[in-house]
Amino acid sequence: MKLTEIQDLIKFVAKSGVSEVELETKDIKITIKTGGKGNRSEPPVVMQQPVMQGPAQQPLMQSAFSEQKAQERKETGPDESKFITIKSPMIGTFYRSAGPDKPSFVNIGDEIKPGKVLCIIEAMKLFNEIESEVSGRIVKVLVDDASPVEYDQPLFLIEPA
């Protein structure tokens, strides 16, 4: 199943108001859970599990490791409650600049405004510019350049203006 098909399925489920959908093919099983009709503020939760056993389960372990690492960052870092977190809107590869010889879109301490390009996330050979929706100052870049990111993974901490 292609990433765009999964994204379209998530959008459809979110708009339809159903609380849970399960889809299983010979290669993959996807479960999408939402808060139901009464709770529209929470985005749908997608759980993806490979049906095959063996090496295909390695990404799930990496995912759990990433979550553990993010949790450790939260415990050891400064008080981040006053900051706005910009999260990844998709799964892909995070890039801080348009190319290896190009300067970074933003650096720590830079002032940003809505519409300012912060980074690029490459998904299936498509390069998606991620723009700021808030004004403020970059406090921290939470992801290394050219590293994989997951949906809803924190990318930047912003001090609101």
Side-chain angles (χ1 to χ4, degrees):
M1 185 171 228
K2 295 181 182 177
L3 178 63
T4 55
E5 293 172 331
I6 294 171
Q7 290 172 334
D8 290 342
L9 182 62
I10 292 169
K11 289 176 186 173
F12 175 77
V13 170
K15 289 179 183 176
S16 70
V18 294
S19 61
E20 183 174 347
V21 172
E22 285 188 24
L23 174 68
E24 186 172 352
T25 65
K26 65 179 183 172
D27 298 325
I28 199 163
K29 178 182 179 184
I30 298 175
T31 304
I32 303 173
K33 295 181 181 179
T34 64
K37 290 187 179 204
N39 190 358
R40 294 292 219 164
S41 63
E42 293 183 14
V45 176
V46 178
M47 294 181 287
Q48 190 173 5
Q49 301 174 340
V51 175
M52 302 176 349
Q53 297 297 324
Q57 291 195 5
Q58 187 174 6
L60 292 176
M61 290 188 290
Q62 288 175 342
S63 173
F65 180 72
S66 297
E67 290 174 13
Q68 179 185 7
K69 199 171 179 182
Q71 183 64 28
E72 289 173 3
R73 242 188 245 136
K74 286 181 185 174
E75 292 171 0
T76 59
D79 179 25
E80 298 174 352
S81 62
K82 64 182 178 180
F83 301 131
I84 297 171
T85 304
I86 295 183
K87 297 180 180 182
S88 175
M90 63 185 64
I91 297 170
T93 304
F94 172 87
Y95 294 106
R96 291 191 62 193
S97 64
D101 56 337
K102 307 280 185 192
S104 296
F105 291 111
V106 292
N107 293 303
I108 295 174
D110 287 357
E111 295 292 325
I112 60 169
K113 297 195 180 308
K116 167 80 172 152
V117 176
L118 302 174
C119 63
I120 291 176
I121 296 183
E122 178 210 352
M124 298 180 67
K125 304 295 182 196
L126 294 174
F127 292 87
N128 303 283
E129 291 183 342
I130 308 304
E131 297 179 350
S132 174
E133 296 179 359
V134 297
S135 294
R137 184 178 58 87
I138 302 284
V139 175
K140 193 171 186 180
V141 179
L142 302 171
V143 181
D144 294 328
D145 192 39
S147 59
V149 293
E150 297 178 18
Y151 173 75
D152 218 25
Q153 178 178 342
L155 302 175
F156 298 95
L157 285 183
I158 309 295
E159 182 177 26

